[in-house]
mmCIF file of all heavy atoms in Angstrom:
data_model
loop_
_atom_site.group_PDB
_atom_site.id
_atom_site.type_symbol
_atom_site.label_atom_id
_atom_site.label_comp_id
_atom_site.label_asym_id
_atom_site.label_seq_id
_atom_site.Cartn_x
_atom_site.Cartn_y
_atom_site.Cartn_z
ATOM 1 N N MET A 24 33.824 34.962 39.108
ATOM 2 C CA MET A 24 32.825 34.392 38.185
ATOM 3 C C MET A 24 32.161 33.169 38.790
ATOM 4 O O MET A 24 30.971 32.959 38.703
ATOM 5 C CB MET A 24 33.491 34.031 36.856
ATOM 6 C CG MET A 24 32.539 33.484 35.811
ATOM 7 S SD MET A 24 33.381 33.184 34.247
ATOM 8 C CE MET A 24 32.050 32.468 33.326
ATOM 9 N N GLY A 27 29.618 34.193 41.302
ATOM 10 C CA GLY A 27 28.383 34.686 40.691
ATOM 11 C C GLY A 27 27.495 33.557 40.250
ATOM 12 O O GLY A 27 26.285 33.581 40.437
ATOM 13 N N GLY A 35 25.627 29.765 46.858
ATOM 14 C CA GLY A 35 26.564 30.540 47.664
ATOM 15 C C GLY A 35 26.090 30.682 49.094
ATOM 16 O O GLY A 35 24.901 30.700 49.391
ATOM 17 N N VAL A 51 12.962 33.451 37.109
ATOM 18 C CA VAL A 51 11.632 33.660 36.504
ATOM 19 C C VAL A 51 11.733 33.747 34.992
ATOM 20 O O VAL A 51 10.940 33.186 34.244
ATOM 21 C CB VAL A 51 10.982 34.930 37.096
ATOM 22 C CG1 VAL A 51 9.728 35.287 36.329
ATOM 23 C CG2 VAL A 51 10.679 34.721 38.568
ATOM 24 N N ALA A 54 12.250 30.350 33.459
ATOM 25 C CA ALA A 54 11.065 29.503 33.503
ATOM 26 C C ALA A 54 10.064 29.895 32.431
ATOM 27 O O ALA A 54 9.247 29.090 31.996
ATOM 28 C CB ALA A 54 10.421 29.607 34.881
ATOM 29 N N PRO A 62 11.280 29.482 17.317
ATOM 30 C CA PRO A 62 10.902 30.050 16.020
ATOM 31 C C PRO A 62 10.352 28.970 15.088
ATOM 32 O O PRO A 62 10.790 27.817 15.138
ATOM 33 C CB PRO A 62 12.232 30.617 15.494
ATOM 34 C CG PRO A 62 13.082 30.819 16.699
ATOM 35 C CD PRO A 62 12.698 29.718 17.644
ATOM 36 N N ALA A 67 10.263 23.822 12.058
ATOM 37 C CA ALA A 67 10.158 23.156 10.756
ATOM 38 C C ALA A 67 11.349 22.239 10.511
ATOM 39 O O ALA A 67 11.210 21.157 9.931
ATOM 40 C CB ALA A 67 10.045 24.195 9.653
ATOM 41 N N LEU A 70 10.613 19.085 12.201
ATOM 42 C CA LEU A 70 9.580 18.313 11.509
ATOM 43 C C LEU A 70 10.111 17.633 10.250
ATOM 44 O O LEU A 70 9.618 16.564 9.869
ATOM 45 C CB LEU A 70 8.407 19.230 11.140
ATOM 46 C CG LEU A 70 7.674 19.889 12.320
ATOM 47 C CD1 LEU A 70 6.493 20.715 11.820
ATOM 48 C CD2 LEU A 70 7.207 18.858 13.334
ATOM 49 N N TYR A 108 2.766 13.870 -11.104
ATOM 50 C CA TYR A 108 2.210 12.791 -11.932
ATOM 51 C C TYR A 108 1.082 12.075 -11.191
ATOM 52 O O TYR A 108 0.028 11.782 -11.768
ATOM 53 C CB TYR A 108 3.329 11.815 -12.296
ATOM 54 C CG TYR A 108 2.868 10.492 -12.879
ATOM 55 C CD1 TYR A 108 2.465 10.395 -14.206
ATOM 56 C CD2 TYR A 108 2.847 9.337 -12.099
ATOM 57 C CE1 TYR A 108 2.059 9.184 -14.747
ATOM 58 C CE2 TYR A 108 2.449 8.123 -12.618
ATOM 59 C CZ TYR A 108 2.053 8.056 -13.950
ATOM 60 O OH TYR A 108 1.638 6.851 -14.463
ATOM 61 N N SER A 111 -2.134 14.027 -11.077
ATOM 62 C CA SER A 111 -2.884 14.049 -12.345
ATOM 63 C C SER A 111 -3.985 12.993 -12.365
ATOM 64 O O SER A 111 -4.998 13.165 -13.042
ATOM 65 C CB SER A 111 -1.927 13.834 -13.527
ATOM 66 O OG SER A 111 -1.417 12.502 -13.544
ATOM 67 N N GLU A 149 -6.361 1.157 -8.025
ATOM 68 C CA GLU A 149 -6.189 2.330 -7.181
ATOM 69 C C GLU A 149 -4.803 2.322 -6.551
ATOM 70 O O GLU A 149 -4.187 1.274 -6.375
ATOM 71 C CB GLU A 149 -7.270 2.416 -6.100
ATOM 72 C CG GLU A 149 -7.322 1.263 -5.131
ATOM 73 C CD GLU A 149 -8.513 1.357 -4.177
ATOM 74 O OE1 GLU A 149 -9.577 1.838 -4.600
ATOM 75 O OE2 GLU A 149 -8.362 0.947 -3.015
ATOM 76 N N THR A 184 -18.512 -9.005 -1.728
ATOM 77 C CA THR A 184 -18.058 -9.182 -0.348
ATOM 78 C C THR A 184 -17.449 -7.895 0.193
ATOM 79 O O THR A 184 -16.826 -7.127 -0.548
ATOM 80 C CB THR A 184 -17.001 -10.305 -0.252
ATOM 81 O OG1 THR A 184 -16.492 -10.371 1.084
ATOM 82 C CG2 THR A 184 -15.842 -10.051 -1.191
ATOM 83 N N ILE A 198 -11.526 -26.151 -12.252
ATOM 84 C CA ILE A 198 -10.975 -25.934 -13.596
ATOM 85 C C ILE A 198 -9.738 -26.798 -13.774
ATOM 86 O O ILE A 198 -9.109 -27.210 -12.791
ATOM 87 C CB ILE A 198 -10.636 -24.428 -13.810
ATOM 88 C CG1 ILE A 198 -10.652 -24.071 -15.286
ATOM 89 C CG2 ILE A 198 -9.304 -24.075 -13.150
ATOM 90 C CD1 ILE A 198 -10.653 -22.565 -15.541
ATOM 91 N N HIS A 223 -7.549 -16.647 -1.356
ATOM 92 C CA HIS A 223 -8.195 -17.257 -0.181
ATOM 93 C C HIS A 223 -8.706 -18.632 -0.578
ATOM 94 O O HIS A 223 -9.467 -18.770 -1.549
ATOM 95 C CB HIS A 223 -9.361 -16.356 0.247
ATOM 96 C CG HIS A 223 -10.125 -16.821 1.441
ATOM 97 N ND1 HIS A 223 -10.989 -17.909 1.413
ATOM 98 C CD2 HIS A 223 -10.201 -16.326 2.704
ATOM 99 C CE1 HIS A 223 -11.551 -18.049 2.597
ATOM 100 N NE2 HIS A 223 -11.086 -17.104 3.402
ATOM 101 N N GLY A 271 -9.340 -20.680 4.671
ATOM 102 C CA GLY A 271 -10.101 -19.826 5.574
ATOM 103 C C GLY A 271 -9.466 -18.492 5.871
ATOM 104 O O GLY A 271 -10.052 -17.679 6.597
ATOM 105 N N GLY A 279 7.167 -11.595 -6.855
ATOM 106 C CA GLY A 279 8.474 -11.105 -7.287
ATOM 107 C C GLY A 279 8.680 -9.653 -6.918
ATOM 108 O O GLY A 279 7.754 -8.961 -6.481
ATOM 109 N N LYS A 285 13.664 5.314 -12.486
ATOM 110 C CA LYS A 285 13.412 6.607 -13.121
ATOM 111 C C LYS A 285 11.961 7.008 -12.868
ATOM 112 O O LYS A 285 11.046 6.461 -13.498
ATOM 113 C CB LYS A 285 13.686 6.524 -14.626
ATOM 114 C CG LYS A 285 15.136 6.182 -14.957
ATOM 115 C CD LYS A 285 15.360 6.070 -16.459
ATOM 116 C CE LYS A 285 16.812 5.734 -16.768
ATOM 117 N NZ LYS A 285 17.055 5.586 -18.226
ATOM 118 N N ASP A 300 -1.035 -27.740 -14.922
ATOM 119 C CA ASP A 300 -0.908 -29.185 -15.078
ATOM 120 C C ASP A 300 -2.313 -29.766 -15.239
ATOM 121 O O ASP A 300 -3.108 -29.802 -14.291
ATOM 122 C CB ASP A 300 -0.217 -29.774 -13.849
ATOM 123 C CG ASP A 300 0.029 -31.274 -13.987
ATOM 124 O OD1 ASP A 300 -0.574 -31.894 -14.890
ATOM 125 O OD2 ASP A 300 0.810 -31.817 -13.195
ATOM 126 N N GLN A 321 5.099 -4.436 5.489
ATOM 127 C CA GLN A 321 4.442 -5.639 6.004
ATOM 128 C C GLN A 321 2.923 -5.474 6.065
ATOM 129 O O GLN A 321 2.421 -4.450 6.511
ATOM 130 C CB GLN A 321 4.965 -5.970 7.397
ATOM 131 C CG GLN A 321 6.432 -6.379 7.400
ATOM 132 C CD GLN A 321 6.675 -7.657 6.626
ATOM 133 O OE1 GLN A 321 5.940 -8.637 6.742
ATOM 134 N NE2 GLN A 321 7.711 -7.666 5.814
#
Side-chain angles (χ1 to χ4, degrees):
M24 182 176 176
V51 171
L70 298 183
Y108 167 78
S111 69
E149 61 186 35
T184 175
I198 205 166
H223 181 288
K285 298 178 180 179
D300 184 345
Q321 294 296 316

